[in-house]
Amino acid sequence: MDQPHSETALSVSVEPEGLLVAGDADDVATYLRKLRFNAVETVEVVGVDAQTVTGAAALATGLAAIGAQHGTFVRIRPADVELLRKFKVIPGESGFNRMTVTDVAGRFRGQMQWQPAQLAGTKALSLQMAVATIALQTAIAETTAAIERVEGTVDQVLNLAKATTIGDVIGHHRSLTRIVRTLDETGTLPAVDWDSVAHLGPTIETVVERLRAHINKTIDGFDRTKPVQDRAKYLTRAVSDNRLGETLELLVLAQDSMYQWQRLRIERVRETEFANLELVIATARRILAEQLDSDSELLLKARAELASYAAIKPLELLRWLSTTQLKRDVVQLRCDLDSFATARRAEVLGWHDHEDPTVRDALAELGTRVKSFGDSAKVLGSRGLDAGATGLDILGRSAQRVAAHRRREAKPDTDNTESPWSK
């Protein structure tokens, strides 16, 4: 006789930052597979269970508040969220929801029926804290490449951004990373650790805004109406002198520091000023949303300007030195923008969903990420040389035709001229 299956509950908290899926480990894994089947852009960000806390002590607290042993936080591209809601793969409304699973053989088949669930008091706040903490932790995909790129140029970039009083940006990031790691591993934030970085919050916000302002000012200088030689010179200054690529990397690094500081602030308030915790969590989530909006606008603006700025008009092909230089710097900046987009998880956040298709087409002509910048510059340079040689060849042939015509006009008529030797 078949044994009846025990009922288990799958819980999903739907938030602007992503989904917190909690419940039995097998149920969560099966649900994630269904998410991926229906929305290929689904990205699993972090998972924890009762025995092993991976990267987020607050997530364990959030799971405990809803009586779950296992949980996973996922981000889904906005367009996919709407599709999944339509077919009831995820709950239709934001908030905390449960679905009862009763049949192992048929679980998650057909449309899912979600029931809103109410969490009161500290349980609801613990869940909000868990979501905010993970969202802050995973907002930046990777900082190692950014650190390697900007080391040795930080002072120059800060000087260009008029942020020379900010201090040691890389040092601050390392200190915050070390303290956050201790918090994740131990679940505690020593007072001495918080006191050593408490003053950094406003400083980091200032450097973020000044770096973004410097990037926007440089991009605003892209004037597509100017001749190719002027465009090439400006882009070279933007890449080499204004350190546009390094500024983008430093912006990523500073933002990661900002998010880590907010995580520590939330934990500090939880321990010492619990009455203010809800307000602090809301503030951190608002900062996160504002930064994402600003970065999305910056990236799409930069890509659009670059696409039009890089367009070479037919007559400009004759200036092959300028076109080669322009293409070389365009490839470099394209790679820098791609790196920034990857660090900010642009694809899963859907930043490119509403981009003008002509922008994507124009940038696609520049190629995707190349093996090395030197290889791409070499390829584009040879194309520029070929174009220049073609133009020079056309001019050469024209000059030859003109010279031949003039020689024919100057040559005496041999048919009507008597030879001196005939006499």
Side-chain angles (χ1 to χ4, degrees):
M1 185 175 67
D2 294 337
Q3 295 295 323
H5 297 295
S6 60
E7 291 192 356
T8 60
L10 184 71
S11 302
V12 173
S13 180
V14 182
E15 304 293 344
E17 298 87 355
L19 308 179
L20 177 59
V21 184
D24 176 77
D26 291 337
D27 291 340
V28 171
T30 304
Y31 182 65
L32 290 180
R33 285 195 295 272
K34 187 168 184 66
L35 284 178
R36 291 194 182 94
F37 177 79
N38 287 275
V40 295
E41 298 295 337
T42 300
V43 174
E44 181 177 352
V45 177
V46 62
V48 302
D49 55 36
Q51 286 74 38
T52 305
V53 178
T54 306
L59 182 52
T61 303
L63 293 177
I66 58 178
Q69 294 293 307
H70 181 84
T72 302
F73 184 79
V74 297
R75 280 194 178 93
I76 303 174
R77 197 165 59 99
D80 292 332
V81 168
E82 295 308 314
L83 182 64
L84 292 172
R85 277 179 169 160
K86 178 181 178 181
F87 294 104
K88 297 185 179 180
V89 179
I90 66 173
E93 300 294 333
S94 298
F96 184 63
N97 298 265
R98 290 186 187 274
M99 182 186 71
T100 301
V101 180
T102 58
D103 186 357
V104 174
R107 73 175 48 153
F108 305 141
R109 289 183 179 176
Q111 292 188 335
M112 301 180 180
Q113 300 300 320
W114 297 96
Q115 297 295 326
Q118 296 297 322
L119 292 177
T122 57
K123 289 186 177 181
L125 194 56
S126 294
L127 193 62
Q128 291 296 308
M129 181 178 173
V131 172
T133 299
I134 303 170
L136 289 167
Q137 176 196 354
T138 60
I140 302 296
E142 176 60 48
T143 59
T144 302
I147 293 174
E148 293 176 351
R149 174 84 180 271
V150 301
E151 275 191 311
T153 64
V154 172
D155 291 341
Q156 183 179 357
V157 174
L158 293 178
N159 184 59
L160 289 167
K162 299 180 180 179
T164 54
T165 61
I166 297 302
D168 185 2
V169 175
I170 294 181
H172 294 162
H173 183 266
R174 286 171 175 160
S175 296
L176 289 164
T177 300
R178 175 182 53 78
I179 296 172
V180 167
R181 186 181 299 115
T182 299
L183 171 61
D184 287 336
E185 292 173 351
T186 66
T188 60
L189 175 61
V192 65
D193 283 348
W194 169 248
D195 291 343
S196 67
V197 296
H199 65 287
L200 293 181
T203 299
I204 296 170
E205 287 191 38
T206 299
V207 73
V208 166
E209 295 310 317
R210 289 186 179 176
L211 290 170
R212 188 182 287 114
H214 172 61
I215 295 168
N216 274 309
K217 182 179 179 180
T218 303
I219 294 171
D220 288 340
F222 288 3
D223 187 348
R224 72 193 76 172
T225 65
K226 289 187 175 181
V228 65
Q229 62 270 27
D230 293 340
R231 301 204 311 275
K233 289 178 182 177
Y234 182 83
L235 189 57
T236 295
R237 289 197 300 271
V239 171
S240 301
D241 299 338
N242 286 349
R243 299 281 184 178
L244 195 51
E246 287 84 352
T247 308
L248 286 165
E249 297 285 10
L250 193 59
L251 175 60
V252 168
L253 195 62
Q255 285 177 316
D256 193 51
S257 293
M258 176 193 296
Y259 299 147
Q260 294 197 67
W261 188 86
Q262 288 293 336
R263 283 194 60 198
L264 296 175
R265 180 171 181 249
I266 289 173
E267 180 61 23
R268 179 63 176 175
V269 170
R270 186 188 71 82
E271 292 178 352
T272 62
E273 304 174 52
F274 191 83
N276 295 322
L277 181 58
E278 187 172 6
L279 175 61
V280 172
I281 291 173
T283 300
R285 296 178 75 175
R286 186 182 70 249
I287 290 174
L288 179 61
E290 290 173 351
Q291 289 295 315
L292 290 174
D293 287 343
S294 295
D295 284 352
S296 173
E297 181 181 345
L298 173 65
L299 179 63
L300 296 182
K301 171 185 173 182
R303 284 169 56 89
E305 292 295 332
L306 184 63
S308 60
Y309 200 71
I312 305 296
K313 304 176 184 67
L315 292 179
E316 292 177 338
L317 287 174
L318 298 180
R319 294 185 173 273
W320 59 272
L321 286 176
S322 295
T323 57
T324 301
Q325 177 182 333
L326 179 65
K327 289 178 179 179
R328 182 194 65 223
D329 290 332
V330 162
V331 170
Q332 175 65 72
L333 186 52
R334 163 70 191 275
C335 289
D336 291 337
L337 291 173
D338 285 350
S339 177
F340 180 73
T342 299
R344 298 301 276 122
R345 303 184 188 278
E347 292 300 328
V348 73
L349 292 172
W351 288 359
H352 295 159
D353 288 353
H354 305 293
E355 187 175 54
D356 188 336
T358 60
V359 171
R360 291 196 293 270
D361 291 342
L363 291 177
E365 292 181 1
L366 301 175
T368 55
R369 282 188 179 275
V370 289
K371 290 183 298 182
S372 69
F373 168 66
D375 289 344
S376 61
K378 181 179 179 181
V379 171
L380 290 176
S382 65
R383 292 178 183 173
L385 287 171
D386 291 342
T390 301
L392 290 174
D393 185 50
I394 293 172
L395 289 177
R397 291 198 300 270
S398 298
Q400 289 174 357
R401 286 195 296 270
V402 171
H405 178 69
R406 289 179 178 175
R407 285 197 301 271
R408 285 197 300 271
E409 289 182 340
K411 185 178 181 180
D413 188 351
T414 55
D415 294 337
N416 298 322
T417 304
E418 187 179 20
S419 172
W421 300 107
S422 61
K423 295 183 180 179

